């Protein structure tokens, strides 16, 4: 028969009470953090929430009611906004956007992967100089190269076409993506590549069958970045495209504002909601791979 002394009971009770206080303190701290994060998140998302709500308002209610909930919801902005003042509907402009985005994303993924593989896995004369040039291009503002590129494409005869928007991506013109894949490759061990070469695979086969599957999260991140940046690009199409039938959505929205002085804001907001929907949908679908690619690229093995 065991006897519990008052000292043991007191010590045990004191330890249990201390644990309860620590658990209570941790719950309160977590609750405060979540409340602060939720408030900051709501503050950051409020413009987007207001945009969606305002797209269902009438033009007069947008300026009369500052809230995001419409008093009398209507689809007038979407119906009339889709039918633009031009001979084309927004379906044509969305199709043009797709014609710009799809080749650009595909060319970027292929060219950036090949160039990054060359920098990360091979030694060749002038490698350090070329890599330093790549970093210099990465730090160079895009606005600086606009005029030389415009003069070049004008002399070639590519103005008013999608080629000036496609071709630079086909030759790894986006230095950021090349640098991003190089950093990711540096964290990938070479054991499987060396085993493939022992089995008789050449460099191209090693790249396709070994490296690309390992680079899948980073390549998805590259494609997602390029998709969103191209979807939001306004200056590039504005410089190179002059025909309305070739306008992407970004130029079509600006065209809707410029057509008349008394334009309907609910139509502009409704088309803006449709314009950002593909980028948001693609981001949430590929969110897991996107986060994995970004986090893995920052770890050097």
């Amino acid at each position: 028969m065991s006897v519990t002394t008052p000292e043991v009971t007191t010590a045990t009770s004191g330890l249990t009470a201390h644990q309860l206080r620590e658990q209570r303190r941790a719950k309160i701290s977590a609750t405060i953090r979540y409340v602060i994060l939720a408030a900051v998140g709501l503050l950051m998302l409020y413009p987007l929430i207001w945009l969606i709500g305002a797209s269902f308002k009438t033009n007069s209610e947008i300026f009369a009611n500052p809230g995001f909930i419409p008093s009398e919801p209507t689809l007038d902005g979407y119906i009339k906004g889709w039918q633009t003042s031009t001979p084309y509907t927004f379906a044509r402009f969305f199709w043009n956007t797709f014609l710009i985005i799809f080749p650009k994303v595909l060319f970027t993924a292929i060219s950036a992967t090949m160039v990054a593989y060359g920098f990360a896995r091979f030694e060749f004369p002038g490698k350090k100089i070329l890599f330093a040039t790549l970093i210099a291009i990465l730090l160079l503002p895009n606005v600086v190269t606009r005029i030389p590129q415009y003069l070049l494409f004008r002399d070639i005869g590519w103005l008013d076409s999608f080629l000036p928007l496609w071709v630079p991506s086909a030759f790894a013109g986006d230095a950021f993506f090349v640098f991003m894949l190089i950093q990711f490759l540096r964290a990938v061990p070479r054991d499987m590549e060396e085993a493939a070469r022992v089995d008789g695979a050449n460099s191209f086969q090693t790249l396709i069958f070994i490296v690309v599957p390992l680079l899948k999260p980073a390549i998805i991140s590259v494609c997602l970045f390029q998709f969103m940046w191209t979807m939001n690009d306004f200056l590039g199409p504005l410089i190179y495209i002059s025909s309305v039938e070739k306008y992407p959505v970004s130029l079509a929205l600006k065209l809707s504002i410029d057509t008349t002085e008394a334009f309907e804001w609910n139509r502009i907001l409704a088309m803006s909601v449709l314009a950002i929907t593909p980028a948001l949908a693609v981001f949430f679908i590929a969110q897991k791979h996107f986060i994995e690619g970004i986090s893995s690229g920052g770890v050097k093995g």
Side-chain angles (χ1 to χ4, degrees):
M1 182 176 179
S2 59
V3 179
T4 304
T5 62
E7 291 80 3
V8 175
T9 304
T10 303
T12 305
S13 301
L15 181 61
T16 303
H18 177 71
Q19 290 177 342
L20 291 176
R21 284 195 300 269
E22 290 296 328
Q23 292 179 357
R24 191 180 302 111
R25 188 179 295 109
K27 290 180 179 179
I28 294 175
S29 177
T31 302
I32 294 175
R33 287 199 302 268
Y34 284 126
V35 170
I36 295 175
L37 290 175
V40 173
L42 180 61
L43 182 64
M44 298 292 292
L45 289 176
Y46 183 80
L48 179 61
I49 297 173
W50 184 89
L51 172 67
I52 297 174
S55 66
F56 293 98
K57 296 180 181 180
T58 61
N59 194 57
S60 58
E61 187 184 355
I62 291 176
F63 299 96
N65 180 13
F68 61 88
I69 300 178
S71 57
E72 297 179 1
T74 177
L75 294 175
D76 181 73
Y78 289 90
I79 296 174
K80 294 183 179 179
W82 188 262
Q83 306 295 330
T84 64
S85 58
T86 67
Y88 312 99
T89 65
F90 258 89
R92 178 61 177 268
F93 302 134
F94 273 104
W95 175 248
N96 292 338
T97 304
F98 173 78
L99 292 179
I100 296 174
I101 289 177
F102 182 76
K104 194 167 184 177
V105 170
L106 180 63
F107 292 155
T108 298
I110 295 175
S111 62
T113 301
M114 295 181 67
V115 173
Y117 180 64
F119 272 115
R121 292 295 190 259
F122 297 98
E123 295 294 333
F124 50 88
K127 176 182 176 180
K128 293 183 179 180
I129 297 176
L130 291 176
F131 187 75
T133 305
L134 175 70
I135 300 300
I137 295 174
L138 180 62
L139 301 176
L140 190 67
N142 290 330
V143 179
V144 176
T145 61
R146 290 295 184 182
I147 295 178
Q149 285 181 345
Y150 177 83
L151 296 177
L152 174 64
F153 294 138
R154 184 198 62 183
D155 295 339
I156 298 176
W158 286 356
L159 295 184
D160 198 23
S161 69
F162 297 146
L163 289 175
L165 304 174
W166 293 342
V167 173
S169 298
F171 292 93
D174 299 297
F176 170 77
F177 299 130
V178 177
F179 178 75
M180 176 179 171
L181 291 176
I182 290 175
Q183 294 303 109
F184 190 92
L185 272 171
R186 288 177 176 175
V188 176
R190 306 190 183 193
D191 299 343
M192 297 182 65
E193 300 173 44
E194 294 173 354
R197 289 194 177 90
V198 170
D199 292 338
N202 55 36
S203 298
F204 184 75
Q205 291 173 330
T206 303
L207 171 64
I208 297 300
F209 298 106
I210 304 298
V211 176
V212 169
L214 295 176
L215 281 178
K216 180 182 177 181
I219 293 175
I220 291 177
S221 299
V222 167
C223 294
L224 185 57
F225 268 125
Q226 186 65 281
F227 180 90
M228 291 189 297
W229 289 355
T230 306
M231 191 76 187
N232 297 328
D233 186 22
F234 176 78
L235 188 58
L238 179 65
I239 293 174
Y240 300 118
I241 299 176
S242 56
S243 300
V244 177
E245 63 269 17
K246 297 178 182 178
Y247 274 9
V249 172
S250 57
L251 293 186
L253 290 172
K254 185 64 170 63
L255 180 67
S256 301
I257 297 177
D258 288 343
T259 52
T260 175
E261 295 181 359
F263 53 84
E264 299 289 333
W265 274 107
N266 60 341
R267 303 180 189 181
I268 305 298
L269 297 179
M271 293 303 101
S272 299
V273 172
L274 295 181
I276 65 176
T277 299
L280 291 177
V282 170
F283 174 78
F284 284 112
I285 291 173
Q287 183 179 14
K288 177 182 177 182
H289 298 286
F290 173 73
I291 295 175
E292 183 179 353
I294 295 297
S295 58
S296 300
V299 180
K300 182 178 179 180

